[in-house]
Amino acid sequence: MNEQTLTVQPVVAASSPYHAPHAQRLAEQLQLDCVGVVGQLKFCEWPLLLYCTDDGVQLQQTGKKAPGPVWADFVTGAVAHRRKFGGGSGQMIAKAVGVKSGVRPTILDATAGLGKDSFVLATLGCDVTMVERSPIVHTLLADGLYRAQQESEITDIVQRLSLLHGNAAQLMAQQQATQTAVVYLDPMFPHSDKSAQVKKEMRLFRDVVGADDDASQLLDAALEFAKARVVVKRPRKAPTIEHETQPTYQVEGKSSRYDIYTLAALEKVL
Ligand SMILES: C[S@@+](CC[C@H](N)C(=O)[O-])C[C@H]1O[C@@H](n2cnc3c(N)ncnc32)[C@H](O)[C@@H]1O
């Protein structure tokens, strides 16, 4: 993991006595301090909590102007809305990974984060192996998956998702994950979202996971591992990941871009 770049370390807390044992267990697993029950976020003395609540485990800032929590939400969040009303295989991400009639490539999402992109890809019918190296983000994602498993409406989608903890570059180099047609990468990038809320959440996320400044090595491992293509998500105007191999082509949207490195025809490896 990217521990050397971590700037913020949360403490673990529970929103009520009911969640206190869970908080204690998490703190032991993650080797973080557990501060017991915190009811009033406004006046809390710890700036950042890994917070066990009725809605699941959340990364929560405290203080009077604290933004909302950061958590993996496949049931009520934006990806749930996109599942119901999104553009299906017309979406840019679908085109980038090569989803089309009769083609549902297997995918390794090497930078899973909160699993939003993976969930969209699983909604499109792809089997997705998610890899996340940050123990804190992995905890949020595992908790989000667990909650999603309880929802019968999305059982078929959740069954297509699996989660590994570790550095994806190492897992791919050591063949510790089953080889997939596509490797999907979305490393952290300093970006300039206009919404103050998004900005604060993204800044927090970056502080917790680090800068992902080893993306070149990840791309290297992905190009060796993928059977058909590597897809890299970037902000629209960002440079490509530094590497001797250049993308074969790009799919560009309003704010983001997908760099596609083609290795073989998808149809040949399915
Ligand atoms: C921008 S976020 C990804 C967001 C994700 N696409 C989503 O839809 O929620 C990048 C994530 O990749 C993780 N990451 C970066 N490099 C990694 C690596 N080599 N192995 C595993 N995870 C990695 C970071 O810890 C971070 O959580």
Side-chain angles (χ1 to χ4, degrees):
M1 100 173 216
N2 220 10
E3 264 161 334
Q4 63 277 29
T5 53
L6 279 192
T7 54
V8 177
Q9 198 72 286
V11 295
V12 188
S15 63
S16 72
Y18 177 77
H19 297 292
H22 186 193
Q24 188 62 49
R25 270 198 312 279
L26 270 189
E28 279 161 23
Q29 270 167 25
L30 298 169
Q31 297 179 330
L32 294 172
D33 290 334
C34 185
V35 298
V37 176
V38 169
Q40 286 270 23
L41 293 174
K42 262 189 205 167
F43 307 110
C44 180
E45 64 184 282
W46 296 280
L48 184 62
L49 308 178
L50 194 60
Y51 201 33
C52 300
T53 76
D54 287 345
D55 291 326
V57 183
Q58 306 183 327
L59 196 59
Q60 177 67 65
Q61 279 175 284
T62 64
K64 285 188 185 147
K65 292 188 178 162
V70 171
W71 57 315
D73 178 17
F74 304 116
V75 181
T76 62
V79 288
H81 184 269
R82 192 159 157 190
R83 172 175 65 82
K84 291 180 193 148
F85 308 108
S89 55
Q91 296 176 79
M92 259 190 6
I93 191 170
K95 291 190 182 137
V97 300
V99 168
K100 55 188 172 199
S101 163
V103 180
R104 300 283 181 272
T106 51
I107 296 173
L108 184 125
D109 179 352
T111 55
L114 294 176
K116 291 181 200 164
D117 289 333
S118 283
F119 188 83
V120 170
L121 293 166
T123 305
L124 291 164
C126 302
D127 286 325
V128 185
T129 306
M130 302 184 282
V131 187
E132 175 52 53
R133 70 175 160 191
S134 154
I136 292 165
V137 178
H138 176 265
T139 298
L140 297 174
L141 184 50
D143 182 72
L145 264 187
Y146 170 77
R147 277 178 285 105
Q149 277 157 4
Q150 323 303 313
E151 296 292 322
S152 55
E153 209 189 329
I154 51 173
T155 309
D156 56 329
I157 299 172
V158 179
Q159 276 172 353
R160 287 196 278 275
L161 290 166
S162 57
L163 173 61
L164 300 174
H165 182 210
N167 184 331
Q170 282 168 12
L171 292 183
M172 288 190 283
Q174 293 159 5
Q175 301 285 330
Q176 283 171 3
T178 309
Q179 216 183 351
T180 49
V182 176
V183 174
Y184 181 83
L185 309 179
D186 174 21
M188 298 295 283
F189 189 85
H191 55 104
S192 52
D193 284 298
K194 298 236 163 39
S195 140
Q197 178 77 359
V198 171
K199 245 189 189 170
K200 272 191 189 167
E201 286 186 4
M202 280 317 294
R203 212 181 305 136
L204 170 66
F205 204 73
R206 247 197 319 268
D207 286 349
V208 170
V209 303
D212 288 353
D213 40 21
D214 53 356
S216 304
Q217 286 105 290
L218 189 57
L219 177 57
D220 222 21
L223 288 167
E224 286 293 317
F225 184 85
K227 289 196 245 177
R229 65 173 70 174
V230 176
V231 175
V232 182
K233 185 179 182 183
R234 304 293 277 166
R236 190 165 72 92
K237 300 229 165 118
T240 55
I241 292 182
E242 216 169 289
H243 198 274
E244 59 193 12
T245 310
Q246 289 305 305
T248 318
Y249 65 97
Q250 298 176 318
V251 178
E252 209 172 282
K254 271 191 207 141
S255 57
S256 53
R257 187 187 81 224
Y258 293 96
D259 294 346
I260 293 119
Y261 300 76
T262 305
L263 303 167
L266 273 172
E267 290 80 356
K268 288 205 178 140
V269 304
L270 294 177

